[in-house]
Amino acid sequence: MDIITLNSLGARSKIWDYNLSFVLRLFEISEVWLFNCNEATQHNLLRHNIKLSLISKIFITNLSLYNVAGLQGLLSTLNLESRNKTLYLYGPQELKYYLKFGSKYSQTNFCYAIKIFDIMFSKVFISTSYVIRIISPQHDKNNWGYVIFSKQKPGKFKLSRAQVFNLIQGPLYGKLKRYRVFLTPDGNIIHGKNFADVPEKGDKLVLVPYIHYNKVFAELCWKANSIICLTK
């Protein structure tokens, strides 16, 4: 997971960042997730050598002008590039109306499918490698945040140990790496945990609409690898 902020400085976020728009470059699934889309987003994406075709999801925290000024233009650019993959948008309930009227008055018909998901408190979206949870530290229906968890990865497989037990190389190795348990014809039990290291812990990224120090905020940020504030 690589975090790239789309501001004038182009600095990479480590702990705290006060930028309105940024991307997550997910190398494991070859996708790019965009968070908020200001008017300079396309320019900054090109400046960071990020292909627009890799954008699979766009998350909007609120419908302020700073967060959606470049959204209609980005969708139109993807249309000009003859995109054929479905684009997933996550945002407040009013987002679908904003896009509906925007495309109506600009007379734009998209050649690709756009699926819009209304976000609400504690709603969870699950993808192949990541889990996204919707948060609102102050139960503010106009400002939303996200907690993104990457699923844990299997530990390194102990090849030498498998060879000592004369285990045939193949799909069996992958199953043992995932801690599967097998019963051999002679009655012996093979535990996958004996042939792989401890699974690697997944990352936790917290995106908050603003900083408000309270118990809820502290619990959300507990053991987070990165915390990003989405307002200046």
Side-chain angles (χ1 to χ4, degrees), residues 126-163:
I126 301 176
S127 66
T128 54
S129 302
Y130 296 88
V131 176
I132 307 164
R133 179 186 172 192
I134 311 301
I135 61 173
S136 180
Q138 290 294 92
H139 296 280
D140 184 357
K141 295 183 179 180
N142 297 320
N143 291 281
W144 299 95
Y146 303 89
V147 179
I148 301 175
F149 304 90
S150 61
K151 299 179 181 179
Q152 67 178 14
K153 302 177 183 178
K156 185 178 179 181
F157 186 71
K158 300 177 181 179
L159 179 60
S160 59
R161 187 176 182 85
Q163 292 174 342

Side-chain angles (χ1 to χ4, degrees), residues 14-169:
K14 291 297 184 181
I15 301 297
W16 295 99
D17 195 3
Y18 291 87
N19 296 277
L20 296 172
S21 183
F22 72 97
V23 297
L24 289 184
R25 185 181 286 171
L26 308 175
F27 299 102
E28 300 88 348
I29 55 178
S30 299
E31 290 184 5
V32 170
W33 293 0
L34 174 63
F35 289 80
N36 292 331
C37 187
N38 56 42
E39 58 183 355
T41 296
Q42 290 191 61
H43 171 74
N44 289 322
L45 287 172
L46 295 176
R47 186 160 56 88
H48 288 284
N49 297 319
I50 299 176
K51 295 181 179 179
L52 300 182
S53 59
L54 293 179
I55 298 177
S56 60
K57 294 179 174 58
I58 299 178
F59 299 84
I60 303 297
T61 55
N62 60 58
L63 293 180
S64 68
L65 179 62
Y66 296 105
N67 293 338
V68 298
L71 182 58
Q72 197 72 38
L74 176 61
L75 298 180
S76 299
T77 300
L78 295 176
N79 194 56
L80 293 174
E81 293 184 351
S82 300
R83 179 188 178 96
N84 52 19
K85 296 189 298 182
T86 301
L87 182 66
Y88 299 90
L89 299 181
Y90 302 82
Q93 296 181 359
E94 296 80 7
L95 177 61
K96 56 179 174 288
Y97 302 113
Y98 171 81
L99 295 176
K100 177 181 178 180
F101 289 113
S103 59
K104 176 181 178 181
Y105 292 115
S106 63
Q107 298 183 353
T108 303
N109 294 319
F110 300 111
C111 63
Y112 57 94
I114 299 178
K115 292 188 177 181
I116 303 176
F117 296 90
D118 297 337
I119 57 178
M120 58 185 65
F121 182 68
S122 295
K123 194 170 184 178
V124 177
F125 300 96
I126 301 176
S127 66
T128 54
S129 302
Y130 296 88
V131 176
I132 307 164
R133 179 186 172 192
I134 311 301
I135 61 173
S136 180
Q138 290 294 92
H139 296 280
D140 184 357
K141 295 183 179 180
N142 297 320
N143 291 281
W144 299 95
Y146 303 89
V147 179
I148 301 175
F149 304 90
S150 61
K151 299 179 181 179
Q152 67 178 14
K153 302 177 183 178
K156 185 178 179 181
F157 186 71
K158 300 177 181 179
L159 179 60
S160 59
R161 187 176 182 85
Q163 292 174 342
V164 169
F165 286 86
N166 296 320
L167 298 179
I168 301 176
Q169 186 173 1

Side-chain angles (χ1 to χ4, degrees), residues 171-172 175-176 179-184 187-192:
L172 175 63
K175 295 178 180 179
L176 289 173
Y179 280 24
R180 298 285 182 84
V181 179
F182 294 90
L183 178 64
T184 62
N188 291 320
I189 299 177
I190 300 178
H191 294 274

